[in-house]
Amino acid sequence: MSKLIPDLFIGKAQLDQVPQLTDVAQKDTMGYAFSFHVVNLLGGIPVGAYVHYPTISTDMLERVRSRKIWHTNTETVSSSAILSKVKLFYYRIFMYYYARSLRIARFLMVNSSWTKNHVDAILQHSDPLLDAFSVIPPFLFLRSPNAGLTHAEIVYPPCDTRETAKFDLQGRESIIMSVAQFRPEKDHAAQLCAFYHLLTMYPGHTASVKMVLLGGSRNTGDAERVEGLRKLARDLKIEDRVQFIVNAPYSEMLDLLSRASIGMNTMVDEHFGINVVEYMSAGVIPVVHASGGPLNDIVIPINGEPTGYHADSPETFAEALHSALTLSSDEDLAIRKRARRWALHRFSEEEFEKGWQASGWRRYLFAR
C-alpha cells in the first residue's frame, strides 16, 4: 500500500493537467507503475515507461520462498516459516498487480539486459489463484487492459563523462576506490574483505596500496553502517590502509577518479552501474561483481580484449585486484584506453537519444 497509494495520487495529479495539453502520452521514468491505471483507464491516455529497476522481481519472490537472507528479506522473516508465508503471499499480490500495471504500457524501455530479463519475466508472470479472485467483485475493478507487450527494449542511460574523459590515463596512484552510497545492497563489507585477502595473499601490496570508500550517507541507518564498516576494517587490521569519505562534494570525487588505479563495485545484481561507467571514462580499471549490468552490459570484452575484471567472492576479487595492480605499463595503458573508448561511445547522450527515439513512443501521442 505504501507504493500503491502514492502512485495513484501521482496519476491523479498528472490527469489534472490533461485538459491543458494536446498530443498527450505519459512516459514514466520514476517507477510509478500503479499510476498507469488512473492515467490510462480514467484519462484514456497512452502510457509507457523507462524502467531503471523493477519494483518487485521474480528473484525477490524466490528468495522469500527459499527463506534466503537478503537485504530485502531480513533474518527475522527468513527464520520464521509463518512470517515467510505471509510475506510471500504479500509479494504474490504485489507482483500480480505490478505485472498488470506494466502490461498497460504501450512501450517499455529498460536500462540494461538485467532489467530487461526481469521486466520480460514480469510481463509473462501469471498466478492462477489470483486470476480466479480477479473476476470477483470488488477485485474486478482492478482488471486492466493489456497492450500486448511481451518484452522491453534496452536503452542504456546517458552518463555524463565530459569531465572524467579529460583525465590522464597514466601516472595513476595505487588507490583502489569505491563510489557508492552506503546502502546495504552495495555490500561495502565485501570490498573490505577483498582488500584484506589481497594484502594477506600478496603482502607486497601492503605498503603501497590504499583503499578509499567514497559515498553518500542519507540517514541514521547509513551512518551506523559506515561505523560498522570502520569497525570491520579495524577487526581485519587494515584500518591504516583504508579511508572513508562520506558525503564528499562532487569535486572531491572527480579528484579521486583522476588519481585512482582501480574502481570496485561489489553489488550483486546491480541493475546497471553508472559508477562503473564513470570509472571507465575516468581511466580507472573496473573490478566488478560478475552479475547484472556490470557483467553483461558494461565491463565486456571489446574485440576479444578485456575492459576490466569480474569476480564473485572475496578471494576472486583479491586475485582480480592483484592482476590489475601488476599489469605491465603497456597492458595497463591499453586496458584503460579500451575501457574509456567503450564507455564514451556506448553510454553517451547521443546513443541514449537514438534508442529513445527508436522506441516509437511518438506514434502513441495521437492514440487517445
Side-chain angles (χ1 to χ4, degrees):
M1 294 300 288
S2 62
K3 176 65 179 170
L4 173 61
I5 300 302
D7 281 16
L8 296 179
F9 274 107
I10 288 168
K12 176 60 167 61
Q14 293 169 330
L15 199 59
D16 289 343
Q17 302 300 314
V18 171
Q20 306 170 36
L21 304 172
T22 59
D23 303 340
V24 179
Q26 174 184 317
K27 292 171 286 184
D28 171 48
T29 63
M30 297 294 289
Y32 299 131
F34 292 113
S35 70
F36 297 178
H37 295 270
V38 177
V39 174
N40 183 254
L41 300 182
L42 299 185
I45 299 170
V47 298
Y50 182 55
V51 181
H52 298 273
Y53 195 91
T55 307
I56 191 169
S57 68
T58 51
D59 285 353
M60 292 170 66
L61 268 72
E62 183 54 37
R63 285 171 184 141
V64 176
R65 185 178 287 112
S66 62
R67 298 173 62 180
K68 179 179 179 180
I69 298 175
W70 201 249
H71 60 267
T72 57
N73 195 42
T74 65
E75 185 176 1
T76 302
V77 174
S78 62
S79 62
S80 167
I82 294 175
L83 291 178
S84 292
K85 288 183 182 297
V86 171
K87 185 171 183 177
L88 181 60
F89 187 62
Y90 163 70
Y91 268 16
R92 284 176 61 186
I93 295 172
F94 196 103
M95 170 65 86
Y96 184 77
Y97 287 105
Y98 182 64
R100 281 182 170 271
S101 298
L102 287 185
R103 292 188 195 115
I104 297 174
R106 307 284 185 89
F107 55 94
L108 280 175
M109 294 173 280
V110 294
N111 63 348
S112 70
S113 57
W114 184 93
T115 309
K116 173 180 168 56
N117 291 339
H118 284 74
V119 169
D120 288 355
I122 292 168
L123 290 172
Q124 301 299 324
H125 178 76
S126 64
D127 192 313
L129 175 63
L130 294 178
D131 275 336
F133 273 103
S134 69
V135 298
I136 303 173
F139 301 103
L140 186 61
F141 83 96
L142 291 174
R143 292 181 66 86
S144 54
N146 188 334
L149 275 183
T150 58
H151 66 278
E153 300 292 338
I154 298 175
V155 179
Y156 294 123
C159 304
D160 186 356
T161 58
R162 289 170 294 183
E163 292 297 325
T164 53
K166 301 174 186 177
F167 298 156
D168 196 330
L169 296 177
Q170 296 178 290
R172 294 301 179 110
E173 300 175 30
S174 297
I175 296 174
I176 301 169
M177 71 176 296
S178 168
V179 176
Q181 286 187 332
F182 289 102
R183 305 202 309 263
E185 65 270 25
K186 296 301 181 181
D187 201 1
H188 290 85
Q191 297 172 14
L192 294 175
C193 290
F195 188 52
Y196 164 78
H197 280 283
L198 171 70
L199 301 185
T200 302
M201 295 160 60
Y202 302 99
H205 294 305
T206 302
S208 58
V209 181
K210 177 182 179 181
M211 170 170 273
V212 179
L213 305 183
L214 183 150
S217 175
R218 304 161 298 169
N219 50 41
T220 302
D222 286 356
E224 291 174 351
R225 195 167 296 112
V226 172
E227 289 308 309
L229 292 169
R230 293 185 194 274
K231 181 180 183 302
L232 177 59
R234 290 193 297 271
D235 292 344
L236 295 173
K237 295 181 170 51
I238 57 173
E239 71 273 18
D240 59 331
R241 307 304 304 165
V242 177
Q243 179 183 3
F244 291 86
I245 303 177
V246 181
N247 294 333
Y250 183 62
S251 59
E252 188 169 355
M253 184 189 77
L254 289 177
D255 176 66
L256 184 60
L257 283 166
S258 72
R259 296 184 290 114
S261 288
I262 298 170
M264 289 186 73
N265 183 317
T266 47
M267 178 176 171
V268 178
D269 290 339
E270 174 82 81
H271 51 292
F272 180 64
I274 283 182
N275 64 333
V276 180
V277 177
E278 290 173 336
Y279 294 157
M280 296 167 77
S281 67
V284 177
I285 298 174
V287 177
V288 300
H289 195 274
S291 65
L295 173 67
N296 297 308
D297 300 292
I298 304 176
V299 186
I300 62 174
I302 304 300
N303 298 322
E305 298 294 330
T307 56
Y309 298 85
H310 306 106
D312 59 8
S313 69
E315 294 80 9
T316 55
F317 268 103
E319 291 289 356
L321 293 171
H322 175 68
S323 296
L325 288 165
T326 55
L327 291 168
S328 69
S329 297
D330 288 345
E331 291 172 326
D332 182 90
L333 183 59
I335 195 170
R336 294 183 198 276
K337 283 183 175 179
R338 196 180 304 122
R340 174 176 281 178
R341 280 197 304 270
W342 171 245
L344 296 183
H345 164 68
R346 194 65 187 92
F347 308 109
S348 65
E349 291 186 9
E350 292 77 13
E351 288 295 309
F352 173 74
E353 290 173 4
K354 287 179 186 176
W356 187 272
Q357 299 305 333
S359 72
W361 66 271
R362 287 182 179 275
R363 68 177 178 268
Y364 297 110
L365 286 175
F366 305 98
R368 295 180 66 191

